[in-house]
């Protein structure tokens, strides 16, 4: 098992490090792979980055703990993601090409640059824009660091199960490999590793699901055993914000908002910003590059989430000591119990590589926030950018070592904060809205503030905090429109 883990992890790392030979030694290449990534790689990398340690550790642990009601997380998340991506992704790609920016914050802050020469466009993207870019950069830095820390913890948990090592050892090893990725090829290294591990993990997860079902006597026998666990097959939580159907609808709607929050995640959206342009220069049409990328994205998303949810449900029947068991170790522990050593090594190596490639993309996002969005004079030297990236990795490692919150909680906190801050602004821009600088900043700050207050008021168990957070961002823009009309 150890040999298998080392072998497969070495292969994943080698895939990422090999990107060094394709690096063009420019800022554009380091952050966006020069906009030349194929649709299949974009789709697989984006979905792997979206989930990674969260899915392997956090999601399966959540399913293990709550049972069937977790299915609404899967359904709502994918539906919300699909709805948002239907009108955002191709517009974001077009704005990236038009603005010439290399960061998510840069694109949002210079959305209309190059579109036309109207007075409105020029005013919207001139001297004021760097202020918005810095605000987005600072918020991105804080929440992406929290997210990166969660990824290092998730990888460390897999390392702990395999080697019986302390959490700090796995986190340190992960941080070192992340730093190597960053020096090797920037986002290209992350994308290549994402794609490789996503293909391997879909195979391994399906095998684990099949073996787990077979060991319990099949589907019907498994369901019969689940019925013996009090509340495990309940469709909805016992405590809802509203009673009856209204509460159930609101519960599902919360997860839909969680899925739509993907458009506020810089580390995911930047994947679609790297997509190669179609031969005709556009990204539209039935079989455009964007359509192909989304096909790969949702195909993997649906198949893997279905298998992961099934594994999480079945793991409760094998790992029955819920009082003393860490639910976030359900996947690696179940794999050790049911699979042959080579397959266990494969799963744990894939899990570890997944968390590292996502941590890498998060750290790159932090580096872009510092070097391109926050600093008064934008850093142009790729060597200095890489050094900033290594420093950010060290901070993420310290956060991981001091963290006492579960991977799921830390990821949801970062996810909802970023989605509430940037999602409404991106939607408004996609539909042609032109908020002033002050309005855009107010949308960002209000959205994230409401989401954080909702969580720390302990209301997130009743309704996902991204719902009020994102809605308040839209409310701020609506108020701006009303006030501006009255002033005309």
């Amino acid at each position: 098992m150890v040999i298998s883990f080392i072998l497969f992890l070495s292969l994943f790392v080698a895939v990422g490090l090999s990107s060094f030979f394709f690096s063009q030694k420019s800022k554009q290449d380091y952050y966006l792979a020069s906009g030349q990534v194929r649709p299949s790689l974009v789709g697989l990398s984006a979905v792997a980055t979206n989930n990674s340690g969260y899915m392997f550790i956090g999601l399966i642990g959540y399913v293990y703990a709550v049972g069937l009601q977790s299915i609404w997380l899967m359904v709502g998340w994918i539906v919300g993601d699909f709805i948002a991506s239907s009108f955002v992704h191709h517009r974001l790609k077009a704005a990236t090409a038009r603005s010439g920016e290399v960061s998510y914050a840069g694109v949002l802050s210079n959305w209309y640059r190059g579109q036309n020469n109207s007075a409105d466009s020029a005013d919207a993207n001139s001297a004021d824009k760097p202020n918005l870019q810095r605000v987005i950069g600072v918020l991105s830095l804080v929440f992406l660091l929290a997210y990166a820390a969660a990824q290092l913890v998730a990888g460390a948990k897999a390392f702990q199960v395999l080697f019986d090592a302390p959490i700090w050892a796995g986190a340190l090893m992960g941080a070192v490999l992340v730093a190597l990725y960053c020096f090797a090829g920037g986002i290209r290294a992350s994308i290549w590793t994402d794609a490789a591990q996503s293909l391997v993990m879909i195979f391994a997860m399906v095998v684990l699901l099949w073996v787990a079902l077979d060991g319990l006597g099949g589907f019907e026998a498994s369901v019969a055993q689940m019925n013996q666990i009090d509340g495990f097959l309940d469709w909805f939580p016992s405590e809802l914000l509203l009673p009856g159907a209204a509460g159930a609808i609101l519960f599902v709607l919360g997860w839909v908002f969680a899925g739509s929050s993907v458009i506020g995640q810089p580390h995911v959206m930047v994947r679609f910003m790297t997509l190669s342009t179609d031969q005709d220069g556009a990204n539209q049409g039935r079989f455009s590059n964007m359509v192909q990328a989304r096909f790969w994205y949702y195909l993997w998303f649906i198949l893997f989430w279905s298998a992961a949810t099934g594994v999480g449900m079945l793991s409760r029947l094998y790992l029955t000591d819920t009082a003393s068991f860490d639910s976030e170790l359900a996947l690696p522990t179940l794999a050790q119990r049911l699979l042959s050593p080579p397959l266990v090594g494969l799963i744990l190596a894939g899990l570890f590589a997944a968390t590292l490639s996502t941590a890498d993309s998060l750290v790159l996002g932090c580096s872009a926030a510092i070097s391109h969005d926050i600093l008064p004079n934008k850093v142009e030297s790729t060597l200095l950018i890489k050094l900033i990236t290594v420093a950010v990795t060290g901070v993420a490692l310290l956060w991981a070592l001091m963290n006492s919150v579960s991977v799921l909680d830390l990821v949801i906190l970062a996810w909802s904060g970023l989605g509430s801050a940037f999602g409404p602004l991106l939607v408004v821009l996609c539909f042609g809205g032109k908020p002033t600088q002050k309005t855009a900043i107010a949308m960002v700050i209000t959205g994230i503030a409401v989401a954080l207050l909702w969580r720390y008021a302990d209301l997130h168990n009743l309704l996902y905090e991204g719902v009020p957070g994102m809605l308040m961002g839209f409310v701020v823009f609506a108020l701006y429109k009303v006030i501006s009309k009255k002033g005309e």
Side-chain angles (χ1 to χ4, degrees), residues 112-129:
Y112 293 106
R113 181 196 291 170
Q115 188 177 76
N116 54 55
N117 296 316
S118 69
D120 288 342
S121 178
D123 178 69
N125 295 282
S126 57
D128 285 341
K129 277 303 177 182

Side-chain angles (χ1 to χ4, degrees), residues 15 23 96 190 211-212 255-256 283 287 329 343-344 357 374 385 393 413 429 466:
V15 168
S23 174
T96 302
S190 182
V211 172
W255 289 122
V256 173
N283 267 294
F287 298 109
L329 296 178
L343 279 177
V344 174
S357 58
I374 298 175
I385 289 172
T393 305
L413 174 63
L429 292 171

